[in-house]
Amino acid sequence: MEPLVHVTADDPRFGAVAVALDHVAGTLTVSGGGLPTVEMRRAPGTSPESHVPIGTRDPERLTLTVDGAEETLRPAKGFLTRRSYRVEAASVTRGHTYLLVPDSLGTSGLLRDGRRLGVFTSSGDGHVSADWDTADRDTADASGPSPEPYDASLGYALAAAFGTGAEPMWRLTLDAVLDLWP
C-alpha cells in the first residue's frame, strides 16, 4: 500500500471527486465541486494495521468530520461474516444513519436510513468508484432515495478509508480455523 495517494474519481452523478489518503499518517480527505469536504483521522500514536487503508477499525481511534462538523463513526471489527466488515456513520447535523456493508467479494452497498443508494468499489488504495442505484431517477415519481452530495462525499470516504467487499463467510471461517492450526 502506497503511503500517500492522491486520486480523482469521475463520479457519474457528481463529477470529479478528489481522494487523498495517507496510510502512514492516518488521514483521509474527500472533496469535489459541490461536495462537502470529508476528513477522517486516525489518533496520533496508533500503529497502522496494514489491511485497513486508514490504519484502524477502532472507533475510539478515529474521528470523522464533514464540512468541519464532527460526525459519529462506528466501523465494526470485521471477522467471520461479510456484515462484520460494515461501517456505520451517523450524521448528527443531517439526522441520517449511513451504512457501508459488503455485498460481494469486491463491492459494498451504501445505505442511508436503511435504503440503498448505490454500490462502491475500492481495493483499499484510495481508488474508489460508485454505481448509484438511482442515477437515472430524476423524476418526482421515481421510487427510492436519490443520492445527495453529502451521501457521495461520505460514501467515497468510507469506501476509501476501509475498502469494500469481503470474502464469503465460509472462506473467512476457513481462514480463521487455519490461522489457529499449529
Side-chain angles (χ1 to χ4, degrees):
M1 179 179 306
E2 291 182 49
L4 178 60
V5 178
H6 289 278
V7 294
T8 302
D10 186 23
D11 186 271
R13 189 172 182 101
F14 298 99
V17 179
V19 177
L21 173 64
D22 187 335
H23 175 72
V24 174
T27 61
L28 170 74
T29 303
V30 172
S31 60
L35 297 179
T37 299
V38 175
E39 294 179 319
M40 194 177 303
R41 295 192 178 282
R42 186 179 69 234
T46 303
S47 297
E49 298 171 20
S50 62
H51 61 281
V52 181
I54 194 68
T56 186
R57 294 184 70 86
D58 182 352
E60 299 297 318
R61 300 202 164 273
L62 292 167
T63 57
L64 171 70
T65 61
V66 181
D67 271 351
E70 191 166 335
E71 304 289 15
T72 303
L73 180 63
R74 291 184 292 266
K77 295 210 181 283
F79 187 56
L80 286 180
T81 65
R82 280 188 177 151
R83 187 152 176 84
S84 73
Y85 286 89
R86 73 191 177 282
V87 180
E88 184 179 329
S91 172
V92 177
T93 58
R94 297 179 57 89
H96 293 296
T97 300
Y98 293 86
L99 187 64
L100 185 72
V101 63
D103 55 11
S104 75
L105 183 61
T107 63
S108 292
L110 178 67
L111 293 86
R112 178 182 68 208
D113 299 328
R115 299 189 71 192
R116 187 177 161 113
L117 295 171
V119 175
F120 282 81
T121 304
S122 175
S123 57
D125 61 359
H127 293 85
V128 179
S129 64
D131 183 15
W132 300 107
D133 289 353
T134 58
D136 297 325
R137 291 187 200 157
D138 290 326
T139 60
D141 64 327
S143 62
S146 290
E148 300 171 3
Y150 186 100
D151 306 330
S153 289
L154 191 59
Y156 274 89
L158 296 177
F162 300 101
T164 58
E167 296 279 353
M169 185 174 164
W170 69 266
R171 176 65 187 250
L172 294 168
T173 304
L174 177 62
D175 289 346
V177 169
L178 291 176
D179 283 345
L180 296 173
W181 199 272

